[in-house]
Amino acid sequence: MTDMKHYFLLFILLLVIITIEGCTEELHPETNGTNSPVLNEGELTKAVLDLSVNTFAVEAQAETRASIPSNIPENETSEEKEVHNIWVFQYDAVTKELLIKPRYYTITDQIMLQDLPVYLKAGIPSFVYVVTNTGYDNWANDDTDTSWQKFKNVEQLKKQTLPTAFPLRSIDKVSIPMVGASEEVEVTTGVTVTVPVTRMYAKLKVKVEMLKAEMKLNNVNVRQIPNICRIETFAGDGNGEPMNAVPFPDGTTFSSIAFAASDLEKSEDKEWAVFYVPENLQGEIENQGGNKSDAAPTNALVVDVTAEIGGEKYLYAAYPGGNSLNNFNIQRNQVYRMTLTITGEKGQNNPSSNCFVVKPNGFLSFEPYYRVETGGGYNFADYLSPHDENLKIASVGIIWQTKDCIGDNTNGTLVQLGENTGDIHQKIYVRTQKKGNALIGAYNSKGDVLWSWHIWVTDHEPDNLGRAVTYYTYDWDNNGIYPEKPRIQGYAVMSCNLGALAENQKGLGTGLHRYPDEMTQAFGMLYQWGRKDPFPPLRNVVSEHHDYNDEHTDLHYDNSNQIEVHKTSGTDENKLFHSVIGSTLTGAVRHAIANPTVFITGTNDVNRNESYVQQKSNYFNNGDWCPIGESDNKLWGGLEPASEGMKAYTINQTNNVHIYDNYGTEKSIFDPCPTGWRVASGELWFEFTNTGLNPGSMSGINYDDKFSDGYGMNMYMQKWKDGPTSYFPTQGTRVGDGGGFRTNSCGNYHNATTDTDNRVNILHIHKDAGLFHIFEYQFYFYYVKSVAGPIRCVRDSK
């Protein structure tokens, strides 16, 4: 996590042997595929499968300086033994070739695991292999004549990888992949075939002890988790602990998973954050007495702990493994217990961002000059620098705030510029009061706004890694989108819209805002594409086009917390939130920075009742807020669409709509998300429908109806109609002329990438299949760059 602090490492590594009793329970199989003869199966015989789960263990290997295993017993959980589905393979004991087509069985009840009827070939000495909890019924057999051939012999099976390798948390649905094989058996009718299975994941337990009373735990995050898990361990036969690193195949990606501090309350043992992860064998290396972290391999699994100290967040990191000195192996079916003891000492300086999440009655300090983003090729020092008088901060203050969010800053004590350090580490200090949002600004000696920062005051911890949900989207290439294939691991998604004060419509009571409607508290800020500064959301529920003014929003106040700052869709400069016509500007990006509250229009007239051609003719420069010659597709870190060699798929030939692989690897200085987060990629939305394209009916949308009476949709993030969800409000937009539109019925989500012709790849959602658009090309006024829509941030690294 390069966006966080200096890694300060203090930990105690404990290893424990955990005994898990062998388990035999009954279940009912599926009967799919039993009448499809291949491989000269002939008539198959009904046998009984008896599964038992091998014990988790951590063994102290010779020459590893492993700590003494704990003698404190650890209770296993029933979830760690559960089997939800199995693949059954039968191999000839002599030739090691498949005797039958691989078969998939779904387990509906754990008590039926002991006597599972399966269909095997009789009369031939054979071995039966079982792989559990893959979650894909077409992994080893999709009813074609070729798919099973990747598993044709035992050695091929062992080299196969799971279709997906999801890390797990103990508080979620636990489904650990396992693998095992029977002894040699000659099948007869009703024979019992015993198969002991072993978990293919390791178990990692983390406890945090903080030595200062004022310290608060924020989250426990595990990263560098490989998104690959092979049937046979990468270490080979699994005998002994590998002393050298076992490299992953080229192209292996890595992900992370986290517990928020509040998540620990859900744990069976509230002291421990428990994770299940694929093995990561980085070997044992020479260490001449330094910290283990000083010698850590690049891909070694690492545990990060984020703590809050005096209003700032700091990161501490530790590396589990076979010992606390120099071993970085995370082996399957083994348990790693580690206690991290944090002293509370601070490390080096935190880089800044455009948004900060602060709790009510909280304190924030940040370094406005210190920025590390490189996406899009922009240099932050071109806009803010302590070494240039025109770009140097002379004063700071509140540009706007919801009532009492920060408070009366007339005397400059609530938003304060720190001592001049002469370098990039000068600080700004902010003290907050109540839930809400604010924008603070830095001014030069002439009184010009140099830069501004969104202060998001809330107590539901939206930036906490443990509250995020990692999305798993559909695979795709130049020829199509493939919902039937194993999903591709994406980024962790923030639990709410950027600037929202609740995660869903039931998150807060009434009375917080001018409109006492708890359903609108999940509404986030609105952003014109490519701009860093927010516009307050619409709250007064109006379906059609209307003015963006105080009647339809919260009331907002100035630096004194007393004087209202007003809004209009028009050009009245007496109102802080007014509009200016983008086609009249020169240097639109710098104008946007210097005027963070001014909406830059892309048209004088939004008329949704006009034809597509008529709508388009009303816009300047294809609806961009930048004038002709200044359009820029890289403002949020994306790459130019249709670049040479870029993966691309045409969604709609008639309207020239595409998806490009143009999500840049780096966040940009104009990205509005907090440190460690960035605006999402367009591929996130694929899995919201059954095809990855616009749905044909409501049944083709991947949502539940948890909030059927409200202003949003609860979307499944990883699987079809199953698994974790996240709430996406239909909060309305500011369209290209600056007006408000469709509060409570329309969600118009931005992402960081664009299509050709200045088209923004938005997610446009309604509780209406005809208006739920993964790719919007029906309504021109929704996908132009001048429209202001909500944002859902994702982690800036997997």
Coordinates of all heavy atoms in Angstrom, one line a residue, residues 630-677:
E630 N -9.1 21.6 -25.9 CA -8.6 21.3 -24.5 C -9.2 20.0 -23.9 O -8.9 19.7 -22.7 CB -9.0 22.5 -23.6 CG -8.4 23.8 -24.0 CD -8.6 24.9 -22.9 OE1 -9.1 24.6 -21.8 OE2 -8.4 26.1 -23.3
S631 N -9.9 19.3 -24.7 CA -10.4 18.0 -24.1 C -9.3 17.1 -23.7 O -8.3 17.0 -24.3 CB -11.3 17.3 -25.2 OG -12.5 18.0 -25.5
D632 N -9.5 16.4 -22.6 CA -8.4 15.6 -22.0 C -9.0 14.3 -21.4 O -9.8 14.4 -20.4 CB -7.7 16.4 -20.9 CG -6.4 15.7 -20.4 OD1 -6.3 14.5 -20.7 OD2 -5.6 16.3 -19.8
N633 N -8.7 13.2 -21.9 CA -9.3 11.9 -21.4 C -8.5 11.3 -20.3 O -8.9 10.3 -19.7 CB -9.3 10.9 -22.6 CG -10.3 11.2 -23.6 OD1 -11.4 11.6 -23.3 ND2 -9.9 11.0 -24.9
K634 N -7.4 12.0 -19.9 CA -6.5 11.4 -18.8 C -6.7 12.1 -17.5 O -5.9 11.8 -16.6 CB -5.1 11.5 -19.3 CG -4.8 10.9 -20.7 CD -3.3 10.9 -21.0 CE -2.8 12.3 -21.2 NZ -3.5 13.1 -22.2
L635 N -7.7 13.0 -17.3 CA -7.7 13.8 -16.1 C -7.9 12.9 -14.8 O -7.4 13.3 -13.8 CB -8.9 14.7 -16.2 CG -8.7 15.9 -17.1 CD1 -10.0 16.7 -17.3 CD2 -7.6 16.9 -16.6
W636 N -8.6 11.8 -15.0 CA -8.7 10.9 -13.8 C -7.8 9.7 -13.9 O -8.1 8.6 -13.3 CB -10.2 10.5 -13.6 CG -11.0 11.5 -12.9 CD1 -10.5 12.6 -12.2 CD2 -12.4 11.5 -12.8 NE1 -11.6 13.3 -11.7 CE2 -12.7 12.7 -12.0 CE3 -13.4 10.7 -13.2 CZ2 -14.1 13.0 -11.7 CZ3 -14.7 11.0 -12.9 CH2 -15.1 12.1 -12.1
G637 N -6.7 9.8 -14.6 CA -5.7 8.7 -14.7 C -5.9 7.7 -15.7 O -5.1 6.7 -15.8
G638 N -7.0 7.7 -16.5 CA -7.3 6.8 -17.6 C -6.3 7.0 -18.7 O -5.7 8.1 -18.8
L639 N -6.3 6.1 -19.6 CA -5.5 6.2 -20.9 C -6.4 6.6 -22.0 O -7.6 6.5 -22.0 CB -4.9 4.9 -21.2 CG -4.1 4.2 -20.0 CD1 -3.6 2.8 -20.5 CD2 -2.9 5.1 -19.6
E640 N -5.8 7.1 -23.0 CA -6.6 7.5 -24.2 C -7.2 6.2 -24.8 O -6.6 5.2 -24.9 CB -5.7 8.1 -25.3 CG -5.2 9.5 -25.0 CD -6.3 10.5 -25.1 OE1 -7.4 10.2 -25.7 OE2 -6.1 11.6 -24.7
P641 N -8.5 6.3 -25.1 CA -9.2 5.1 -25.7 C -8.7 4.8 -27.1 O -8.2 5.7 -27.8 CB -10.7 5.5 -25.7 CG -10.6 7.0 -25.8 CD -9.4 7.4 -25.0
A642 N -8.8 3.6 -27.5 CA -8.4 3.2 -28.9 C -6.9 3.4 -29.2 O -6.5 3.5 -30.3 CB -9.2 3.9 -29.9
S643 N -6.1 3.3 -28.1 CA -4.7 3.3 -28.4 C -4.2 2.0 -29.0 O -4.8 1.0 -28.8 CB -3.9 3.6 -27.0 OG -4.3 4.8 -26.4
E644 N -3.1 2.1 -29.7 CA -2.6 0.9 -30.5 C -2.3 -0.2 -29.5 O -1.6 0.0 -28.5 CB -1.4 1.3 -31.3 CG -0.8 0.2 -32.1 CD 0.4 0.6 -33.0 OE1 0.7 1.9 -33.0 OE2 1.0 -0.2 -33.6
G645 N -2.7 -1.4 -29.8 CA -2.4 -2.6 -29.0 C -3.4 -2.7 -27.8 O -3.2 -3.7 -27.0
M646 N -4.3 -1.8 -27.6 CA -5.2 -1.9 -26.5 C -6.3 -2.9 -26.7 O -6.9 -2.9 -27.8 CB -5.8 -0.5 -26.2 CG -6.7 -0.3 -25.1 SD -7.3 1.4 -24.8 CE -5.7 2.1 -24.2
K647 N -6.6 -3.6 -25.7 CA -7.8 -4.5 -25.8 C -9.1 -3.7 -25.9 O -9.2 -2.7 -25.2 CB -7.9 -5.4 -24.5 CG -9.0 -6.4 -24.5 CD -8.9 -7.4 -23.3 CE -9.1 -6.8 -22.0 NZ -9.2 -7.8 -20.9
A648 N -10.0 -4.1 -26.8 CA -11.2 -3.4 -27.0 C -12.3 -4.3 -27.5 O -12.1 -5.3 -28.1 CB -11.0 -2.3 -28.1
Y649 N -13.5 -3.9 -27.1 CA -14.7 -4.7 -27.5 C -15.8 -3.7 -27.9 O -16.1 -2.8 -27.2 CB -15.2 -5.6 -26.4 CG -16.5 -6.4 -26.8 CD1 -16.5 -7.2 -27.9 CD2 -17.6 -6.2 -26.0 CE1 -17.7 -7.9 -28.3 CE2 -18.8 -6.9 -26.4 CZ -18.8 -7.7 -27.5 OH -20.0 -8.4 -27.8
T650 N -16.4 -3.9 -29.1 CA -17.4 -3.0 -29.6 C -18.8 -3.5 -29.0 O -19.2 -4.6 -29.3 CB -17.5 -3.0 -31.1 OG1 -16.2 -2.5 -31.6 CG2 -18.6 -2.1 -31.6
I651 N -19.4 -2.6 -28.2 CA -20.7 -2.9 -27.6 C -21.8 -2.7 -28.5 O -22.7 -3.5 -28.6 CB -20.8 -2.0 -26.3 CG1 -19.7 -2.2 -25.4 CG2 -22.2 -2.3 -25.6 CD1 -19.5 -3.6 -24.9
N652 N -21.7 -1.6 -29.3 CA -22.8 -1.2 -30.2 C -22.2 -0.6 -31.4 O -21.7 0.6 -31.3 CB -23.8 -0.3 -29.5 CG -25.0 0.0 -30.4 OD1 -24.9 0.8 -31.3 ND2 -26.2 -0.7 -30.1
Q653 N -22.3 -1.3 -32.5 CA -21.6 -0.7 -33.7 C -22.3 0.5 -34.3 O -21.7 1.5 -34.7 CB -21.6 -1.8 -34.8 CG -20.9 -1.5 -36.1 CD -19.4 -1.5 -35.8 OE1 -18.8 -2.5 -35.3 NE2 -18.6 -0.5 -36.2
T654 N -23.6 0.5 -34.2 CA -24.4 1.7 -34.8 C -24.0 3.0 -34.0 O -23.9 4.0 -34.7 CB -25.9 1.4 -34.6 OG1 -26.2 0.2 -35.3 CG2 -26.7 2.5 -35.2
N655 N -23.9 2.9 -32.7 CA -23.7 4.1 -32.0 C -22.2 4.3 -31.6 O -21.8 5.2 -30.9 CB -24.5 4.1 -30.7 CG -26.0 4.2 -30.9 OD1 -26.6 3.1 -31.0 ND2 -26.5 5.4 -31.1
N656 N -21.3 3.4 -32.2 CA -19.9 3.5 -32.0 C -19.5 3.5 -30.5 O -18.8 4.3 -30.0 CB -19.4 4.8 -32.6 CG -17.9 4.7 -32.9 OD1 -17.3 3.7 -33.1 ND2 -17.2 5.9 -32.8
V657 N -20.0 2.5 -29.8 CA -19.8 2.3 -28.4 C -18.9 1.2 -28.1 O -19.1 0.1 -28.6 CB -21.2 2.1 -27.6 CG1 -20.9 2.0 -26.1 CG2 -22.1 3.2 -27.9
H658 N -17.8 1.4 -27.3 CA -16.8 0.4 -27.0 C -16.5 0.3 -25.5 O -16.8 1.3 -24.8 CB -15.5 0.7 -27.8 CG -15.7 1.2 -29.1 ND1 -15.9 2.6 -29.4 CD2 -15.7 0.6 -30.3 CE1 -16.0 2.7 -30.7 NE2 -15.9 1.6 -31.3
I659 N -15.8 -0.7 -25.1 CA -15.1 -0.8 -23.9 C -13.7 -1.0 -24.2 O -13.3 -1.9 -25.0 CB -15.7 -1.9 -22.9 CG1 -14.9 -1.9 -21.6 CG2 -15.6 -3.3 -23.6 CD1 -15.3 -0.7 -20.7
Y660 N -12.8 -0.2 -23.6 CA -11.4 -0.3 -23.8 C -10.7 -0.6 -22.5 O -11.2 -0.3 -21.4 CB -10.8 1.0 -24.4 CG -11.3 1.4 -25.7 CD1 -12.3 2.3 -25.9 CD2 -10.7 0.9 -26.9 CE1 -12.8 2.7 -27.2 CE2 -11.1 1.2 -28.1 CZ -12.2 2.1 -28.3 OH -12.6 2.4 -29.5
D661 N -9.5 -1.3 -22.7 CA -8.7 -1.6 -21.5 C -7.8 -0.4 -21.2 O -6.6 -0.4 -21.2 CB -7.9 -2.8 -21.8 CG -7.2 -3.3 -20.5 OD1 -7.6 -3.0 -19.4 OD2 -6.2 -4.1 -20.7
N662 N -8.5 0.7 -20.9 CA -7.8 2.0 -20.7 C -7.8 2.6 -19.3 O -7.8 3.8 -19.1 CB -8.3 3.0 -21.7 CG -9.8 3.4 -21.6 OD1 -10.6 2.5 -21.1 ND2 -10.2 4.5 -22.1
Y663 N -7.9 1.7 -18.3 CA -7.8 2.1 -16.9 C -6.3 2.2 -16.6 O -5.6 1.2 -16.5 CB -8.5 1.0 -16.0 CG -8.7 1.5 -14.6 CD1 -9.3 2.7 -14.3 CD2 -8.4 0.6 -13.5 CE1 -9.6 3.1 -13.0 CE2 -8.7 1.0 -12.2 CZ -9.3 2.2 -12.0 OH -9.5 2.6 -10.7
G664 N -5.8 3.4 -16.4 CA -4.4 3.6 -16.1 C -4.0 2.9 -14.8 O -4.8 2.6 -13.9
T665 N -2.7 2.7 -14.6 CA -2.2 2.0 -13.4 C -2.0 3.0 -12.3 O -1.8 2.6 -11.1 CB -0.9 1.4 -13.7 OG1 0.1 2.3 -14.2 CG2 -1.0 0.3 -14.8
E666 N -2.1 4.3 -12.5 CA -1.8 5.3 -11.5 C -3.0 6.3 -11.3 O -3.6 6.7 -12.3 CB -0.5 6.1 -11.8 CG 0.7 5.2 -11.8 CD 1.1 4.8 -10.4 OE1 0.7 5.4 -9.4 OE2 1.8 3.7 -10.3
K667 N -3.3 6.6 -10.1 CA -4.2 7.7 -9.8 C -3.6 9.0 -10.2 O -2.4 9.2 -10.3 CB -4.5 7.7 -8.3 CG -5.4 8.7 -7.7 CD -5.5 8.5 -6.2 CE -6.4 9.5 -5.6 NZ -6.6 9.3 -4.1
S668 N -4.5 10.0 -10.6 CA -4.0 11.3 -11.0 C -4.3 12.3 -9.9 O -5.0 12.1 -8.9 CB -4.7 11.8 -12.3 OG -5.9 12.5 -12.0
I669 N -3.6 13.5 -10.0 CA -3.8 14.6 -9.0 C -5.2 15.2 -9.0 O -5.5 15.9 -8.1 CB -2.7 15.7 -9.2 CG1 -2.9 16.3 -10.6 CG2 -1.3 15.1 -9.0 CD1 -2.0 17.6 -10.8
F670 N -6.0 14.9 -10.1 CA -7.3 15.4 -10.1 C -8.4 14.4 -9.7 O -9.6 14.7 -9.7 CB -7.7 15.9 -11.6 CG -6.7 16.9 -12.1 CD1 -5.9 16.7 -13.2 CD2 -6.6 18.2 -11.5 CE1 -5.0 17.6 -13.7 CE2 -5.8 19.1 -11.9 CZ -5.0 18.9 -13.0
D671 N -7.9 13.2 -9.3 CA -8.9 12.2 -8.8 C -9.5 12.7 -7.5 O -8.7 13.1 -6.6 CB -8.1 10.9 -8.6 CG -9.1 9.7 -8.3 OD1 -9.8 9.8 -7.3 OD2 -9.1 8.8 -9.1
P672 N -10.8 12.7 -7.3 CA -11.4 13.2 -6.1 C -11.5 12.3 -4.9 O -12.0 12.7 -3.8 CB -12.9 13.5 -6.6 CG -13.1 12.5 -7.7 CD -11.8 12.3 -8.3
C673 N -11.0 11.1 -5.0 CA -11.1 10.1 -3.9 C -10.0 10.3 -2.9 O -9.0 10.9 -3.1 CB -11.0 8.7 -4.5 SG -12.3 8.2 -5.6
P674 N -10.3 9.8 -1.6 CA -9.3 9.9 -0.6 C -8.0 9.2 -0.9 O -7.9 8.3 -1.8 CB -10.0 9.3 0.7 CG -11.4 9.3 0.3 CD -11.5 9.1 -1.2
T675 N -7.0 9.4 0.0 CA -5.7 8.7 -0.1 C -6.0 7.1 -0.1 O -6.7 6.6 0.7 CB -4.8 9.0 1.0 OG1 -4.4 10.4 0.9 CG2 -3.5 8.2 1.0
G676 N -5.3 6.5 -1.1 CA -5.5 5.0 -1.2 C -6.7 4.6 -2.0 O -6.9 3.4 -2.2
W677 N -7.5 5.5 -2.5 CA -8.6 5.2 -3.3 C -8.6 6.0 -4.6 O -8.0 7.0 -4.7 CB -9.9 5.5 -2.5 CG -10.0 4.9 -1.2 CD1 -9.5 5.3 0.0 CD2 -10.7 3.7 -0.9 NE1 -9.8 4.4 1.0 CE2 -10.6 3.4 0.5 CE3 -11.5 2.8 -1.7 CZ2 -11.1 2.3 1.1 CZ3 -12.1 1.7 -1.1 CH2 -11.9 1.4 0.3

